[in-house]
Amino acid sequence: MSGFSLKNKTAIVTGGGSGIGKAIATTFAKSGAFVYILEYNKDNAAETLYEITSSGGQGDWRKCDVSNHKEVVSILDEIGRERKVDILINNAGIAHVGTIEQTPEEDLDRIYEVNVKGVYNCIYGILPHFKGNGGGVIINMASIASVVGISDRFAYSMSKGAVLTMTYSVAKDYLSDNVRCNCISPARVHTPFVDGFIAKNYPGKEEEMFEKLSKTQPIGRMGTPEEVANLALYLCSDSASFITGTNFPIDGGFIKLNG
């Protein structure tokens, strides 16, 4: 993806310590961006930053709980004083399995705090910087669960539906400020979370379950974090300057072909 340059750009990636967030952070750094990783897990953040710097890239990280409004705004203001920020990737999020009857109130609240309020907090905190510096790009990580029904994913689907509609609202409200806001909706992507979920719930049947979950994608396999990162790179590059207020499924045909 060398054709899409982020040279002299500064990007913030939440949840950049693992999975899709890590792939986005390292891909952006390779494309010339200075990358700030906002991550709650210190070890994961340090590992991603090491990969960036050891490959000749530039970056830094901040410990951040995206559900904490004051903390998020304070960190973004601190970063904004250090550098002009051009890109925000709202990737941090948590998963949940269960129907509405299998979703205790405390689980619902936690999903909301991280997946919905966390995105709100970061957009709220970055917009003054974007408006003061001539614009910027926001990518929100949604999910195919935001647009189609998926069994046993009530709370998660609810949260990602909110992310999708936040994207549309922000894109429309800040168009005149040269702020572009889009979202990416992956289907199942092979991340450490998937491996951990299978190991925890299907001990001794990991290989069988991985194959089964892979085949739920019409294309016959899971996506990779790098494929999602490459889409994010395009959407944040100047080549995508005409694109805003749009949802981009990256799903191996799941939405249109699974039925």
Side-chain angles (χ1 to χ4, degrees):
M1 301 295 285
S2 58
F4 302 123
S5 173
L6 298 182
K7 186 177 181 181
N8 299 322
K9 304 281 189 181
T10 296
I12 295 173
V13 182
T14 71
S18 65
I20 292 172
K22 180 178 183 178
I24 291 174
T26 55
T27 296
F28 280 21
K30 289 175 184 176
S31 300
F34 187 103
V35 180
Y36 284 95
I37 301 160
L38 269 56
E39 173 63 63
Y40 195 76
N41 186 302
K42 177 181 178 180
D43 292 339
N44 287 350
E47 183 179 331
T48 300
L49 186 58
Y50 175 78
E51 287 194 25
I52 287 173
T53 56
S54 63
S55 300
Q58 294 183 292
D60 200 352
W61 81 280
R62 298 287 189 278
K63 183 173 182 177
C64 182
D65 175 1
V66 295
S67 70
N68 186 317
H69 183 79
K70 290 184 179 179
E71 181 176 301
V72 169
V73 172
S74 176
I75 290 172
L76 294 181
D77 284 347
E78 176 188 320
I79 292 173
R81 288 190 294 269
E82 293 180 358
R83 304 179 68 92
K84 173 183 175 291
V85 180
D86 305 283
I87 298 164
L88 169 67
I89 307 294
N90 276 313
N91 170 75
I94 56 176
H96 186 273
V97 177
T99 66
I100 187 170
E101 293 177 295
Q102 297 163 338
T103 306
E105 182 181 8
E106 57 269 26
D107 286 5
L108 184 69
D109 288 345
R110 183 58 182 158
I111 285 284
Y112 175 84
E113 288 290 315
V114 176
N115 291 7
V116 181
K117 189 181 175 187
V119 173
Y120 155 80
N121 287 340
C122 292
I123 296 176
Y124 183 96
I126 205 64
L127 278 172
H129 300 278
F130 281 176
K131 292 169 68 177
N133 290 313
V137 181
I138 300 169
I139 299 293
N140 297 323
M141 200 60 60
S143 165
I144 57 167
S146 65
V147 293
V148 296
I150 296 179
S151 301
D152 298 324
R153 296 295 187 277
F154 166 74
Y156 181 77
S157 299
M158 172 277 299
S159 70
K160 293 303 184 179
V163 170
L164 175 63
T165 52
M166 269 195 285
T167 299
Y168 296 151
S169 181
V170 170
K172 191 160 191 175
D173 286 342
Y174 295 94
L175 192 62
S176 62
D177 295 298
N178 197 32
V179 174
R180 296 194 294 113
C181 185
N182 295 295
C183 69
I184 295 175
S185 290
R188 187 166 279 117
V189 175
H190 186 198
T191 65
F193 173 83
V194 171
D195 291 336
F197 174 82
I198 292 174
K200 178 182 178 181
N201 292 277
Y202 305 98
K205 297 183 178 180
E206 288 89 350
E207 190 172 330
E208 175 187 341
M209 286 308 302
F210 182 85
E211 185 71 16
K212 183 176 180 180
L213 291 174
S214 296
K215 289 181 177 178
T216 63
Q217 319 304 304
I219 207 168
R221 66 171 177 87
M222 298 187 196
T224 69
E226 290 72 24
E227 288 171 320
V228 180
N230 286 337
L231 175 57
L233 174 61
Y234 164 65
L235 292 174
C236 292
S237 73
D238 292 340
S239 296
S241 60
F242 198 58
I243 301 173
T244 192
T246 304
N247 179 34
F248 288 84
I250 179 166
D251 65 353
F254 188 94
I255 292 176
K256 296 297 184 181
L257 305 178
N258 209 354

